[in-house]
Amino acid sequence: SSAGRRAIPRCAILAKPAVNAKEARARCADAVDRPGRPAGQSLSQASINVVAGALFDTAGRVLIAQRPAGKALAGRWEFPGGKLHDGEAPFAGLVRELREELGVEVHSARRLLRYPHEYPDRVVWLELWSVSAWSGEARGLDGQALRWVEPSRLHEQDILEADAPMIAALTAAPG
């Protein structure tokens, strides 16, 4: 039973797990107050904001995309999306990225989580959006392969380490 337990906010899913709900809420506040730079990041370290979409088909499978040849980490799988433009709102960036990358139109979506992934030379802030309404036929407009996967089988795919919290969110999220 979950009686008496407080839910930990999804935005608190970070590289280092929160100890309790209070710590998780504090991390969420920090992420909202300082969206471009996580605590402890030096000012000289670059920060990139990325949005990704979880699109589901009628069978409940989620779409993943393979990074094409010529890109860093080519051949690995990820959730479709990309970098936000300067000053671009996350939902607007999601709509643009999925239109450019997949040829689909996003009508509605909700943010599931936002977290930083640190690389030696930069910090990438990743946001996963659950796309609840979209139209069109998803196709790889950047030459990338696409695959529909049952959420419970995402762990079997060669998905980028940076996307691991997204897998956890999708397998824990109700419908």
Side-chain angles (χ1 to χ4, degrees), residues 50-56 62 79-80 84 89-94 98 106 108-114 126-132 166 170:
V50 171
V51 292
L55 282 80
F56 295 88
V62 66
F79 294 95
L84 290 177
F91 180 75
L94 178 73
L98 297 185
V106 173
S108 66
R110 69 180 174 92
R111 184 168 73 177
L112 288 180
L113 66 126
R114 180 174 193 273
L126 296 130
E127 288 190 24
L128 176 64
W129 290 71
S130 178
V131 180
S132 53
M166 296 181 189
L170 291 172

Side-chain angles (χ1 to χ4, degrees), residues 60-160:
R61 299 174 303 175
V62 66
L63 185 68
I64 57 174
Q66 189 174 41
R67 294 183 61 82
K71 285 195 171 185
L73 304 170
R76 304 282 308 274
W77 293 86
E78 63 185 351
F79 294 95
K83 296 177 191 170
L84 290 177
H85 293 163
D86 287 341
E88 186 175 35
F91 180 75
L94 178 73
V95 170
R96 177 186 53 76
E97 281 289 341
L98 297 185
R99 181 184 305 128
E100 292 173 0
E101 192 173 315
L102 302 175
V104 301
E105 287 298 321
V106 173
H107 304 293
S108 66
R110 69 180 174 92
R111 184 168 73 177
L112 288 180
L113 66 126
R114 180 174 193 273
Y115 61 96
H117 184 81
E118 295 189 32
Y119 293 93
D121 61 336
R122 68 192 181 287
V123 173
V124 177
W125 277 92
L126 296 130
E127 288 190 24
L128 176 64
W129 290 71
S130 178
V131 180
S132 53
W134 58 280
S135 59
E137 184 178 336
R139 55 199 190 283
L141 299 180
D142 290 336
Q144 75 277 36
L146 302 177
R147 181 181 292 169
W148 293 97
V149 180
E150 293 176 26
S152 65
R153 302 194 73 165
L154 284 168
H155 68 279
E156 298 171 8
Q157 309 303 311
D158 186 22
I159 294 180
L160 298 174

